[in-house]
Amino acid sequence: GNSVTQMEGPVTLSEEAFLTINCTYTATGYPSLFWYVQYPGEGLQLLLKATKADDKGSNKGFEATYRKETTSFHLEKGSVQVSDSAVYFCALSDYKLSFGAGTTVTVRA
Amino acid sequence: GAVVSQHPSRVICKSGTSVKIECRSLDFQATTMFWYRQFPKQSLMLMATSNEGSKATYEQGVEKDKFLINHASLTLSTLTVTSAHPEDSSFYICSARVRQGDEAFFGQGTRLTVV
């Protein structure tokens, strides 16, 4: 079945550092891919999405490109802030919505 | 963005009793709703997928007679934990989406404690 493998972390960075969180997937067909974020004490919210190969999702300085050839959807941000501290989840959507393990990111001032 | 309301946010129940959790899409019609269980410092474990008017599809290892899911309308799904035991204590989260491939919107979760 479809699945998502995500770098688990935790990841600790200094402010303005570059962030990458790796995500690869296994799927039949052409699923949509998502990154969700969970800030401390809050529910999950969509960060960005891509619905087909080569699509780039972007939001709040984060980007991820749907790479069919490498079955990847890595999340990147060029300069993180303390407010980016959260848990990030990669997700795959077809009939079901399946999540990776989640990566806890802590950004220090 | 779209809002999904989940109630209650916290519930404590005695072992052997049943607990119902509601998930409502407030401003959109959700063809599909998902129920997850989240353990501390772990990811969301999909329990079941439910489509309006159909029986829920449960993931392997999830007891359908213990976790009863009803999706009677396009805006409401319920999860009933029957004969709850302490090992059922967890954080339960619902999400809803309009159609396959769309983003899903999440409720705030329910912290269930069985004593």
Side-chain angles (χ1 to χ4, degrees):
Chain A
N2 295 348
S3 65
V4 178
T5 302
Q6 179 182 344
M7 182 178 88
E8 292 195 24
V11 175
T12 301
L13 303 165
S14 296
E15 224 171 7
E16 299 182 3
F18 182 84
L19 171 67
T20 298
I21 304 175
N22 289 339
C23 172
T24 57
Y25 67 91
T26 302
T28 55
Y30 303 96
S32 295
L33 300 174
F34 303 86
W35 278 98
Y36 282 85
V37 60
Q38 187 174 32
Y39 297 104
E42 298 184 16
L44 273 81
Q45 54 186 279
L46 180 70
L47 180 60
L48 54 83
K49 67 178 182 182
T51 57
K52 60 183 187 297
D54 299 324
D55 268 2
K56 177 186 282 189
S58 61
N59 185 28
K60 299 182 180 180
F62 290 89
E63 292 183 342
T65 301
Y66 190 149
R67 301 284 188 198
K68 187 169 180 291
E69 63 276 12
T70 54
T71 62
S72 65
F73 192 55
H74 305 321
L75 182 69
E76 297 182 337
K77 185 171 185 180
S79 177
V80 294
Q81 304 300 313
V82 172
S83 57
D84 293 324
S85 298
V87 182
Y88 293 83
F89 294 93
C90 186
L92 178 155
S93 174
D94 50 5
Y95 173 71
K96 302 188 292 188
L97 179 61
S98 303
F99 283 82
T103 302
T104 300
V105 173
T106 302
V107 180
R108 294 181 174 168
Chain B
V3 177
V4 173
S5 175
Q6 185 175 341
H7 292 283
S9 58
R10 291 178 179 272
V11 58
I12 300 173
C13 70
K14 291 185 177 181
S15 188
T17 63
S18 296
V19 173
K20 180 183 284 188
I21 303 170
E22 288 191 351
C23 180
R24 293 181 184 273
S25 57
L26 297 186
D27 49 4
F28 67 100
Q29 293 186 324
T31 304
T32 305
M33 288 189 173
F34 305 95
W35 287 95
Y36 297 87
R37 188 170 174 175
Q38 187 176 32
F39 296 95
K41 298 189 183 299
Q42 293 190 21
S43 186
L44 285 76
M45 183 193 81
L46 179 64
M47 299 175 65
T49 300
S50 75
N51 291 299
E52 184 266 339
S54 303
K55 289 185 178 180
T57 301
Y58 290 81
E59 294 300 298
Q60 191 172 6
V62 178
E63 299 176 61
K64 63 180 181 181
D65 293 332
K66 181 167 189 60
F67 298 100
L68 300 179
I69 291 172
N70 183 279
H71 190 171
S73 77
L74 285 171
T75 58
L76 174 64
S77 177
T78 59
L79 167 67
T80 301
V81 183
T82 63
S83 187
H85 291 284
E87 56 265 31
D88 299 325
S89 298
S90 192
F91 194 60
Y92 294 87
I93 304 174
C94 73
S95 71
R97 74 179 181 195
V98 176
R99 65 182 67 85
Q100 184 170 321
D102 285 356
E103 67 179 281
F105 300 94
F106 284 79
Q108 290 293 91
T110 297
R111 172 71 61 193
L112 170 64
T113 303
V114 185
V115 298

